[in-house]
Amino acid sequence: QDVTVIIGGCEVTMSTPAGPDPAVMEAIKRGNRVVFLDVALVADESNTSQLGRIKLELFVKDCPKTCENFRQLCTGEFLQNEQPTGYKNTSFHRVIKDFMVQGGDFINGDGTGRQSIYGSTFADENFLHRHDQPGMLSMANSGKNTNGCQFFITTQKADWLDGKHVVFGKVLDGTSMLTIRKCEAVPVSNQKPRIPIKVVQCGEL
């Protein structure tokens, strides 16, 4: 935060440490957890363009098992062969404008991989929440009870998915939704971004 003070008759702008994010604190007060995905367009190692941070509120009281799977894949707490495994360095492999952006396949990177912290797949936890607005976080699947690591975030209402995909969180704030819109606007070929949209960092707030 920038604060302007008067010193010796002159205005001086000073930076002060920013306090806790109020939106994050409110989510935690609701009994939920907040994770983040930092995303960038990565043409190659020398050509990277930051798109921004996506903060996601996880509905842990309503969907504890699904949320814990997602949270651990964000933080790297899930280990395979003693190595942190999850969403860091994965891509949003599927983008459909006016519908959703999909990612999370750290196995194959193309929407065919499945892995969860509970095993290959786990069951649909419940359908308490709906795809009733942009910014809903939901599990991708290949049919009933086939949840793994893949997820999608809606960019419009998608009520035909209600009762078929588990909604377990939402985009926390407007700045995060703007980052989703940037992802949505990336040119695609057969729903695959022409320039990879990468998760360059992720974790819990």
Side-chain angles (χ1 to χ4, degrees):
Q1 290 179 315
D2 291 336
V3 177
T4 301
V5 296
I6 307 297
I7 300 177
C10 298
E11 285 191 359
V12 178
T13 300
M14 304 171 67
S15 292
T16 60
D21 185 329
V24 173
M25 299 308 294
E26 285 299 316
I28 292 171
K29 282 182 184 177
R30 288 191 287 270
N32 291 326
R33 308 284 282 266
V34 179
V35 295
F36 71 91
L37 306 171
D38 288 339
V39 294
L41 287 176
V42 182
D44 54 54
E45 289 186 8
S46 62
N47 189 2
T48 298
S49 176
Q50 302 295 327
L51 294 179
R53 172 166 288 190
I54 303 167
K55 298 174 187 174
L56 297 162
E57 178 176 357
L58 305 182
F59 302 148
V60 296
K61 292 197 294 184
D62 293 336
C63 305
K65 188 170 184 177
T66 308
C67 289
E68 184 61 14
N69 180 68
F70 191 83
R71 191 192 69 79
Q72 286 198 29
L73 294 177
C74 283
T75 64
E77 291 172 56
F78 176 59
L79 302 178
Q80 282 190 316
N81 300 320
E82 299 183 356
Q83 295 297 313
T85 303
Y87 296 139
K88 187 175 180 180
N89 297 321
T90 61
S91 298
F92 281 92
H93 62 270
R94 188 178 181 215
V95 173
I96 304 176
K97 188 169 175 56
D98 299 322
F99 177 23
M100 60 88 183
V101 297
Q102 181 176 336
D105 182 0
F106 58 80
I107 305 296
N108 299 325
D110 59 5
T112 62
R114 277 190 287 190
Q115 178 67 55
S116 79
I117 67 172
Y118 310 113
S120 176
T121 62
F122 65 101
D124 298 325
E125 193 163 12
N126 60 56
F127 301 107
L128 292 174
H129 296 277
R130 300 184 179 280
H131 306 79
D132 55 2
Q133 60 185 318
M136 301 311 292
L137 174 63
S138 185
M139 291 300 292
N141 63 42
S142 56
K144 187 176 179 180
N145 297 323
T146 58
N147 301 287
C149 50
Q150 293 187 55
F151 63 92
F152 63 93
I153 301 168
T154 61
T155 60
Q156 295 289 346
K157 179 179 178 180
D159 54 0
W160 65 91
L161 299 179
D162 293 345
K164 298 176 182 176
H165 294 262
V166 177
V167 175
F168 64 100
K170 68 176 182 179
V171 173
L172 183 67
D173 55 25
T175 303
S176 297
M177 196 65 215
L178 179 60
T179 302
I180 294 290
R181 295 298 183 196
K182 291 178 184 177
C183 295
E184 184 186 27
V186 172
V188 299
S189 178
N190 295 322
Q191 303 178 359
K192 180 180 179 179
R194 293 180 185 172
I195 302 173
I197 305 171
K198 292 266 190 180
V199 177
V200 295
Q201 188 57 270
C202 50
E204 184 173 7
L205 296 172

